[in-house]
Amino acid sequence: MIGPRDPALRLVHSFRGAASIGELFVCLLRHAAAGLTSADVATLLRRPVGDVNGLDWTPPSMRAEVVDHFDRLAQRDTRERLRVRKPERERLASLVGGEGALGDPRRAFVVAHAIDEVYAQIAPRLGARSATVAEVPPVFLGEAANGPPTLGQMTPMAACQRWMRAFWYVGDARRLDVFGPLPEPTPRALSARARQTLAHAVDVGELRVAIASWKHHTPADLQPLAAAEGCFAYSGYVLEPDDDEVDAVLAAARRSKPHVLVFPELAFSQQGVARLVARLRANVARFPALIALGRGHRSRDSGGFDNTGVILDAHGDVLLEHEKMEPFAADVLLEDIVPRQSRAYEYLDTPVGRIVLNVCRDVRSDVPMVMNRALGVSLLLVPAYSKRLDFVLEEARVLGARQRAIVVSANASGAHLTHAAALYAPIRGDASSIALPTDENGGTVHAFSVRLGAGAVASLDAPAPFRV
């Protein structure tokens, strides 16, 4: 039985209800962006924009007939050229192999691009025919060699949008799905012991955070998995830690009695996480109350992988899980994690505020940025694997100014990585933002303390780090 959330059923309803070129374009683009795989997105990013036949997603003859169909519609007079009626939709369906064939995200993208290609040749294109699509905005300094950074441009919707010259999907202001499907805000329960420890932090006016930049490695230590063509995934980035190594990093972190300990992205393989949990349960301590970390990629039954971060309590129980939303692009390879499988966006309400975990570039990606603002997040934990952490601090300053959020990020350790840790607290003064360099001698635990002083004047201190 097809449920009410079935993408194919939604597409059929949207397709049959499309009365304008703008509405038809939007229903096809949204379906394509929601269903493309990591390999498909990597192909869109790698191929020259406009080389649709080079994608090899549909027969060239079929695409030529679709282009001709829309060319005929576009040649009508100004009042009619933007309208779509039932016979015109039925003719389009017959050209592509039926309405069901449009359920293929690749085919939906090719048809959406054909619409865009044809209507890019005429003006005005849309007027007020559709509230969810506008003309492509002009690119200011489009000829500049030093273009904008790629953050926020690797999601399926962004990869599709960069191919379009006529239509700019702006979404419905009532829905905000212009950025892609929004996950469901999902509260998770805080364990009693963790709540008690964090409540004490509020009572004494001091929140202590530890950031573990572990373990020191080189790019050659990354453990690859069999990803799709043009994509990558890793089970972890070092050989498995033994019990002594796990105990050493926990002991180094506990020296500062942190309320929160943050590890990097991909910090532990699946077996490594199990080992960490076993060590926590063998030596239960009050600190840290919460431990955030990134797991290695996990294969999915549906294909591809996920990249998840979790928050554990002092007993090793999982309190929160976040599936990374925006893939990382390395040269011509894309992280094999789309489409995202989880529909949840989990958060913890605690005595020190509402806590969310983002994985690396998520913190500057459209959907997490919207969700973090909508939820009013006040403590954002960011396991990362990145050369630098400037992008974390950029978003941290916005969240700090907007909703007084503290942002904590841990990076992996290696000579090829510049930053080991970053922390931002929404207080006045130069010390509110800290990015620490990588320790060339190995992994390090950095301790921070956010305190309320006399007259409620807050401070951010960074004691000497502890070598693991």
Side-chain angles (χ1 to χ4, degrees), residues 201-439:
V202 175
D203 292 340
V204 300
E206 179 182 20
L207 177 66
R208 295 186 298 273
V209 176
I211 301 176
S213 177
W214 109 315
K215 296 172 47 180
H216 205 65
H217 69 288
T218 69
D221 293 319
L222 290 161
Q223 307 298 309
L225 295 168
E229 182 180 357
C231 304
F232 70 89
Y234 299 108
S235 62
Y237 52 76
V238 288
L239 296 176
E240 290 299 318
D242 58 28
D243 288 351
D244 290 341
E245 289 177 302
V246 173
D247 287 342
V249 74
L250 290 175
R254 285 167 175 160
R255 291 175 62 183
S256 62
K257 297 183 178 180
H259 300 97
V260 179
L261 168 62
V262 184
F263 284 95
E265 180 183 12
L266 306 177
F268 295 92
S269 69
Q270 308 309 315
Q271 296 81 7
V273 173
R275 188 179 296 275
L276 172 63
V277 169
R279 302 314 297 163
L280 289 171
R281 291 177 176 170
N283 185 19
V284 176
R286 181 177 179 184
F287 300 104
L290 301 177
I291 301 171
L293 59 91
R295 294 181 178 132
H297 289 104
R298 298 183 301 182
S299 61
R300 299 186 297 225
D301 293 338
S302 59
F305 299 84
D306 66 20
N307 180 347
T308 58
V310 296
I311 297 179
L312 310 174
D313 65 10
H315 293 266
D317 293 329
V318 175
L319 301 180
L320 176 152
E321 180 170 300
H322 173 84
E323 183 180 347
K324 188 177 182 181
M325 304 187 74
E326 175 155 325
F328 177 73
D331 297 324
V332 296
L333 297 179
L334 187 78
E335 188 176 7
D336 192 5
I337 62 170
V338 294
R340 186 178 194 253
Q341 297 299 294
S342 174
R343 295 185 57 84
Y345 197 85
E346 300 184 2
Y347 62 91
L348 286 168
D349 280 325
T350 79
V352 298
R354 178 163 286 183
I355 298 177
V356 159
L357 186 147
N358 286 173
V359 177
C360 201
R361 65 189 303 123
D362 273 359
V363 75
R364 289 287 279 171
S365 185
D366 289 334
V367 172
M369 288 170 69
V370 168
M371 298 300 295
N372 292 339
R373 285 156 174 73
L375 289 172
V377 172
S378 53
L379 180 56
L380 178 57
L381 310 180
V382 187
Y385 189 112
S386 179
K387 182 174 178 59
R388 302 179 62 87
L389 297 178
D390 306 79
F391 68 98
V392 177
L393 293 176
E394 290 169 2
E395 177 64 7
R397 294 184 185 99
V398 176
L399 288 177
R402 184 183 186 277
Q403 57 206 51
R404 300 184 62 80
I406 296 172
V407 179
V408 185
S409 182
N411 202 17
S413 178
H416 60 298
L417 306 173
T418 301
H419 289 151
L423 186 141
Y424 180 86
I427 58 178
R428 290 187 296 273
D430 294 338
S432 64
S433 179
I434 297 175
L436 297 178
T438 296
D439 184 345

